[in-house]
Amino acid sequence: MTARKNSILSVISVISLLALSTFIIAEDRQDKYSLKEPNGVAFSEIKGHETWQAVAPSYRTDKKEVRLILGNETLVKAYKEGTPENGRPFPEGSILVKLG
């Protein structure tokens, strides 16, 4: 009986931990979009950046850190059409994000 009780307690513990971690992850995602950087940019302005295309790498010599620059669909389309070399500015709604 003791082994069975230990098994049941183990299963209950695992299920509890999974439920708690799911709650924490869901809460964390909700909070992420309410955050604002000191320069005024809000995470809500770059919602969906996790699926944006990589545009270029960036290396910070002061922190010895490689970062990835992502662009939204508007920016990537303009870049493929020759902006900025064609003399046209990036269109309204173009956004770059640097992940570090």
Side-chain angles (χ1 to χ4, degrees), residues 3-75:
R4 186 169 185 220
K5 284 183 182 180
N6 286 341
S7 294
I8 291 172
L9 286 175
S10 294
V11 169
I12 291 172
S13 296
V14 168
I15 290 171
S16 298
L17 286 173
L18 286 172
L20 180 62
S21 64
T22 302
F23 174 75
I24 290 170
I25 289 169
E27 187 176 308
D28 189 39
R29 285 187 179 161
Q30 185 178 8
D31 288 342
K32 176 169 77 172
Y33 293 113
S34 65
L35 295 174
K36 249 188 175 179
E37 288 294 319
N39 63 8
V41 176
F43 272 83
S44 60
E45 296 177 50
I46 57 168
K47 199 168 194 171
H49 74 277
E50 299 89 351
T51 61
W52 292 358
Q53 186 173 340
V55 176
S58 173
Y59 182 70
R60 293 269 317 249
T61 55
D62 60 334
K63 295 189 177 195
K64 297 183 181 178
E65 177 181 86
V66 176
R67 295 182 175 196
L68 185 61
I69 300 172
L70 307 175
N72 69 352
E73 288 182 36
T74 305
L75 180 122

